[in-house]
Amino acid sequence: MAVTSRPGLTVATRRLRSVSGRLPRSVNTQSSPAGSRGVVESEPHTRSHEPAAVFELYQNARTRFVQMVAEQATRPQNIETLQNAGIMSLLRPLLLDVVPTIQQTAALALGRLANYNDDLAEAVVKGDILPQLVYSLAEQNCVYKKAAAFVLRAVGKHSPQLAQATVDCGALDSLVICLEDFDPGVKEAAAWALAYIARHNAELSQAVVDAGAVPLLVLCIQEPEIALKKIAALALGDISKHSSELAQTVVDSGAIAHLAQMILNPDEKLKLSQLIVNAGGVAAVIDCIESCKGNIRLPGIMMLGYVAAHSENLAMAVIISKGVPQLSACLSEEPEDHIKAAAAWALGQVGRHTPEHARAVALTDVLPVLLALYLSTESSEDLQVKCKKAIKNIIQKCTYLPALEPFLYDAPPNILKYVAGQFSKVLPHDSKARRLFVMSGGLKKIQEIKAEPGSLLQEYINNINNCYPEEIVRYYSPGYSDTLLQRVDSYQPLTN
């Protein structure tokens, strides 16, 4: 007599079908002989595959779980639900899963969660997850290393306390080792994590330095990948910004020469220049220029010029950091023409933006030095070209007339026209400047300049003369005193 199957079995079977789309071969829901309790065992050759099917189902479930959590963690509206469900404790064992893709996806999910807010980042710390990640950094493949470094970065970014927690679990040594990895993505992920740790305070930056990160970060900025260069530069900036000692450590590592070359990259030069300024790199470079001599100065001089070239704000950062006096000193002190030429070029890049920039350069009395080097027959051709270009850049923006007046006496016509042009722009709108220009002898000198009729220089002279009454212009014109004397000689006084 047949015994019917248990009712619950067919229900469970239907649910299983709805999830997996198939049944394990070891289960048969048909009626069975008495004593079998409604289950008939499969054929012997089918039963031998049952454990594999069960494990496959379990693996698929774990894979699907971590994939869904990683996806859900990208949406802010899901974070609270995941947090309330205790997701951290569920993900932790999956970091040690036997399947590499599950490990990697679990680490990615943890990083996305920790990145969202400091509460979740603290949950990672309290869940003793960091030691597992740090241990695995040295053992796993490049995909896992990137995911693990991302978690460390996500935890460390929120506060000095959380960053210190990553340091306390030994993360720095593992991250520094990752900077030597053959995979650029691993290097980039490690540099990100180190940057986020170092940016909080001087103590954490010093810990990064002590772990040996700086020389390897300098090597990273020499790699061809732009993304790696950028984050390595960012990390060096985050290290150096807290104190002059830390900045000097970065300078001593030889980073400045490579940073200066990076600014030439057309895709990233403005971002990198701003990055250097924000991180306090300009002040460190200026200190380096002041403390050394000769060719060691050259990369720093070039870097200041590249930074200043990009925008008014970056050039002003060089001015505020006292960079102009140091560049002027290089122009005057260095015996080699190629260093003088670099300093002249950099000064031109600083002064070419606005009248305020030009005034800051002119007040260092560097314009007469530039002119003397331009006119000197002993100067190299490159130095003369750089000086002429710098003079032109600065003068065309300079409205500080006392700095320009000496050029009325010494400058050749190709420079003089720029000087006269600035006077012709300022004098019509400034009565005090017009009076001072007369008293200083400037108006008299203008009358002595012999310009070709119809030339631009002659046009500027005419514009200047139009700022004064005709009799004043005649009074200061060459030969006018002789004309007056002739009138005296020919004048017949009235007699009674």
Side-chain angles (χ1 to χ4, degrees):
M1 177 179 174
V3 179
T4 58
S5 304
R6 290 181 295 171
L9 184 60
T10 56
V11 175
T13 300
R14 285 196 297 271
R15 289 177 178 170
L16 186 58
R17 279 202 187 98
S18 67
V19 175
S20 64
R22 67 175 184 174
L23 283 171
R25 294 181 180 179
S26 60
V27 178
N28 190 331
T29 60
Q30 298 177 355
S31 300
S32 58
S36 67
R37 305 188 66 177
V39 178
V40 177
E41 291 187 353
S42 302
E43 302 280 339
H45 71 280
T46 303
R47 185 174 62 227
S48 65
H49 292 281
E50 182 184 31
V54 171
F55 283 115
E56 181 183 357
L57 186 62
Y58 179 46
Q59 178 178 323
N60 289 341
R62 300 194 317 278
T63 302
R64 181 64 177 157
F65 174 74
V66 291
Q67 287 175 344
M68 292 184 68
V69 171
E71 181 184 354
Q72 294 294 321
T74 62
R75 303 168 189 167
Q77 65 269 24
N78 297 330
I79 299 297
E80 185 177 356
T81 302
L82 292 170
Q83 186 176 6
N84 293 337
I87 192 63
M88 294 299 184
S89 61
L90 296 175
L91 289 173
R92 181 188 175 191
L94 297 177
L95 291 172
L96 300 176
D97 199 280
V98 295
V99 181
T101 56
I102 294 176
Q103 295 178 6
Q104 296 155 14
T105 311
L108 178 62
L110 281 168
R112 288 174 176 173
L113 290 166
N115 193 57
Y116 185 73
N117 62 38
D118 53 355
D119 288 339
L120 286 165
E122 192 169 345
V124 172
V125 175
K126 291 181 177 178
D128 290 329
I129 293 172
L130 292 181
Q132 291 180 217
L133 291 168
V134 172
Y135 174 78
S136 301
L137 271 173
E139 304 293 332
Q140 297 287 352
N141 60 30
C142 61
V143 178
Y144 185 89
K145 288 177 180 179
K146 286 185 279 189
F150 173 57
V151 179
L152 294 171
R153 160 189 166 186
V155 171
K157 80 169 192 176
H158 292 289
S159 69
Q161 294 75 22
L162 289 169
Q164 186 63 53
T166 65
V167 174
D168 293 341
C169 73
L172 291 181
D173 290 338
S174 296
L175 289 170
V176 169
I177 291 173
C178 287
L179 290 177
E180 300 182 275
D181 198 276
F182 71 93
D183 187 279
V186 174
K187 294 179 181 178
E188 183 183 344
W192 270 113
L194 290 167
Y196 273 105
I197 292 170
R199 67 177 45 178
H200 291 292
N201 56 47
E203 290 74 18
L204 288 166
S205 289
Q206 189 63 54
V208 172
V209 170
D210 294 342
V214 171
L216 295 174
L217 288 169
V218 174
L219 291 176
C220 286
I221 62 178
Q222 301 174 58
E223 296 287 347
E225 293 79 12
I226 293 297
L228 178 56
K229 287 176 177 287
K230 180 179 176 182
I231 184 53
L234 175 65
L236 290 169
D238 284 329
I239 290 169
S240 65
K241 70 181 182 180
H242 298 291
S243 70
S244 58
E245 291 79 11
L246 288 165
Q248 190 63 51
T249 300
V250 173
V251 171
D252 292 343
S253 70
I256 300 303
H258 301 294
L259 288 169
Q261 294 174 6
M262 284 174 65
I263 301 173
L264 290 170
N265 189 289
D267 296 324
E268 296 292 330
K269 60 185 180 181
L270 179 55
K271 292 181 181 178
L272 288 170
S273 296
Q274 188 64 61
L275 178 74
I276 292 165
V277 171
N278 292 346
V282 166
V285 171
I286 292 169
D287 290 342
C288 179
I289 292 174
E290 184 179 12
S291 62
C292 60
K293 302 291 182 184
N295 283 324
I296 300 176
R297 280 176 157 177
L298 188 59
I301 294 170
M302 298 297 291
M303 177 183 160
L304 292 180
Y306 286 130
V307 169
H310 296 310
S311 73
E312 297 176 14
N313 291 338
L314 294 175
M316 187 54 67
V318 174
I319 293 171
I320 293 172
S321 299
K322 311 296 184 185
V324 174
Q326 290 305 319
L327 291 172
S328 300
C330 293
L331 188 69
S332 302
E333 297 172 0
E334 288 295 334
E336 299 292 336
D337 278 7
H338 68 283
I339 301 177
K340 289 179 180 288
W345 170 79
L347 286 164
Q349 299 306 312
V350 175
R352 71 184 182 89
H353 294 284
T354 70
E356 187 178 3
H357 292 79
R359 179 188 176 100
V361 175
L363 285 174
T364 63
D365 294 325
V366 73
L367 286 173
V369 179
L370 287 168
L371 182 62
L373 289 171
Y374 168 61
L375 296 175
S376 175
T377 56
E378 296 181 1
S379 296
S380 67
E381 182 180 355
D382 181 58
L383 176 56
Q384 289 177 329
V385 170
K386 294 293 194 304
C387 287
K388 179 184 177 182
K389 182 66 174 177
I391 291 169
K392 179 182 174 182
N393 285 345
I394 297 165
I395 286 178
Q396 286 185 314
K397 291 295 181 179
C398 186
T399 58
Y400 180 60
L401 300 185
L404 299 180
E405 281 200 34
F407 280 77
L408 294 174
Y409 298 88
D410 303 323
N414 62 337
I415 299 294
L416 190 58
K417 64 181 178 181
Y418 299 116
V419 179
Q422 290 305 105
F423 278 100
S424 73
K425 293 176 185 177
V426 175
L427 292 176
H429 310 288
D430 191 335
S431 59
K432 183 179 179 181
R434 291 196 296 270
R435 179 181 177 84
L436 291 174
F437 191 57
V438 173
M439 296 175 64
S440 67
L443 183 61
K444 181 177 183 295
K445 181 61 183 176
I446 283 290
Q447 310 313 312
E448 297 172 359
I449 296 174
K450 297 178 180 179
E452 294 184 8
S455 66
L456 191 59
L457 177 57
Q458 184 62 58
E459 181 182 341
Y460 291 146
I461 292 173
N462 293 340
N463 291 340
I464 293 171
N465 288 339
N466 290 337
C467 296
Y468 297 93
E470 185 178 349
E471 59 270 23
I472 297 296
V473 175
R474 285 202 308 268
Y475 179 79
Y476 287 106
S477 297
Y480 185 69
S481 59
D482 294 335
T483 301
L484 290 178
L485 288 174
Q486 289 174 7
R487 292 179 62 182
V488 169
D489 292 338
S490 62
Y491 181 73
Q492 295 297 326
L494 295 174
T495 57
N496 294 328

